[in-house]
Amino acid sequence: MSEKGSDIAKNIWLAGLGAYGSKLNEAVEKVGKGTSKYFDELVEKGKSLEAETSERVNKAREFSTISIEDRIERVRHGLGFDHKQDPQLTALTKRVAALEKKLGKLMDTIEPKSKTRTKSRSAKKSTSKKKTVRKTKSKKA
Amino acid sequence: MKTRERILQTSLLLFNEEGESHVTTLEIANEMNISPGNLYYHFRGKEAIIPELFDRFEHELTSILKAPIENPLSLEDNWFFLYVVFEEIHEYRFIYRNLSDLLQRFEVLHRRFSRLLDLKRLTAKAICTSLMQKQIINIDEEEITQLADSITMTITFWMNFQQLRTSETPSHLLMHQGAFQVMSLLAPYFTEQHREFYDGCHAFYQEALKEVS
């Protein structure tokens, strides 16, 4: 009984929606022809409008919500305060550091060599040996 | 994009540029190349459009303002946060432009706008309190209330004030001015160690001014 009652209520509501969606004079014309058929038609129309309405209600809920972190990040970027370093720049910085280290080692090998040279000629043999050993080491590094 | 959404966006654009009171629904329909009847099908006049635009503004600004209350920001991020707030207000500046007129016509919006003002004050208080706790500013509780009110007032009316002074201020300059104006409200309270942050903001603002002019 109650199910039937709610069905009727729903149909009336849907018919109302359908009537709302159609033009008034069109409605007046059709009323003359046959009311029950017209009612069914309105129910059908109401159904399609109902689907449309609920879709719009859902759409309205989809507000553009960007998180505050993202918005702050965008402002930071826009004002030119980027803290996140460019990955290319970090890679280059690393390479420069590695090259500096190598250069430092190379300088170490050069400096003692020039010192030993001035020392004495008798020590020449041993220093030249040392030199070649260090060279291969630095190449590996 | 759905017609309904386009109506809202076109209305916002025209309201912002020409002032809400100067724009008719016919102009909105013309701008979009749709019939006035089509517009009427979606919205029964401006009285239906304005509250919906306000809904969006309220929703967005509320989520922005709540962020620093829930999670304190770093000193620097507070400064960027000011820009976000000004950006949001600028995006819906038609509301602020004829505030008293608009709120008189829409009784419901009046109450809701008051709530937004309260939230602005709460946010300003939360930020000042967190800055005080980190000993970035030296201030007592009572002064915080006054300062929060001044900040709220500046945020709310800065653009109107600037518009009254000079009508043709580019929008990004408005942001810089607004953010720096708020910073200068805090300036007297900065502790010696953090004074340089304010000086940095000042230098940045001077640069921004140069770029614009």
Side-chain angles (χ1 to χ4, degrees), chain B residues 39-55:
Chain B
L39 190 143
Y40 193 77
Y41 169 78
H42 292 283
F43 294 99
R44 303 210 154 178
K46 284 202 294 185
E47 288 63 35
I49 297 175
I50 290 165
E52 188 143 340
L53 287 177
F54 191 89
D55 281 350

Side-chain angles (χ1 to χ4, degrees), chain B residues 68-69 71-75 78 123-137 139 144:
Chain B
I69 299 177
N71 277 313
L73 303 169
S74 73
L75 171 59
N78 274 317
T123 306
K125 266 188 189 174
I127 289 176
C128 292
T129 308
S130 117
L131 291 179
M132 179 187 73
Q133 282 161 354
K134 288 182 199 156
Q135 287 168 355
I136 291 166
I137 56 172
I139 193 168
I144 282 185

Side-chain angles (χ1 to χ4, degrees), chain A residues 20-21 49 52 55-56 59-60 62-66 68-69 71-72 74-76 79-81 83, chain B residues 2 4 41 44 52 56 59-60 64 67 73 76-77 79-81 83-84 87-88 91 176 204:
Chain A
Y20 172 74
L49 269 179
E52 219 178 279
E55 188 198 337
R56 268 198 258 127
K59 268 272 142 63
E62 290 172 20
F63 289 135
S64 58
T65 37
I66 317 164
I68 190 73
E69 289 83 7
R71 284 190 77 157
I72 286 178
R74 226 174 50 196
V75 168
R76 186 201 296 280
L79 297 178
F81 287 85
H83 282 298
Chain B
K2 285 266 167 71
R4 189 186 156 79
Y41 169 78
R44 303 210 154 178
E52 188 143 340
R56 294 187 176 197
H59 178 84
E60 288 169 17
I64 290 170
L73 303 169
E76 213 180 30
D77 279 356
W79 181 43
F80 297 132
F81 175 77
Y83 279 89
V84 174
E87 245 178 26
E88 184 64 27
E91 221 167 296
H176 285 308
F204 182 79

Side-chain angles (χ1 to χ4, degrees), chain B residues 19-32:
Chain B
E20 177 268 322
S21 55
H22 296 292
V23 181
T24 62
T25 42
L26 190 67
E27 279 175 87
I28 298 166
N30 280 344
E31 180 76 22
M32 294 173 62

Side-chain angles (χ1 to χ4, degrees), chain B residues 156-171:
Chain B
T156 308
F157 294 112
W158 181 255
M159 290 188 193
N160 283 4
F161 173 68
Q162 267 324 76
Q163 226 105 46
L164 285 172
R165 287 182 61 205
T166 47
S167 51
E168 294 292 316
T169 313
S171 56

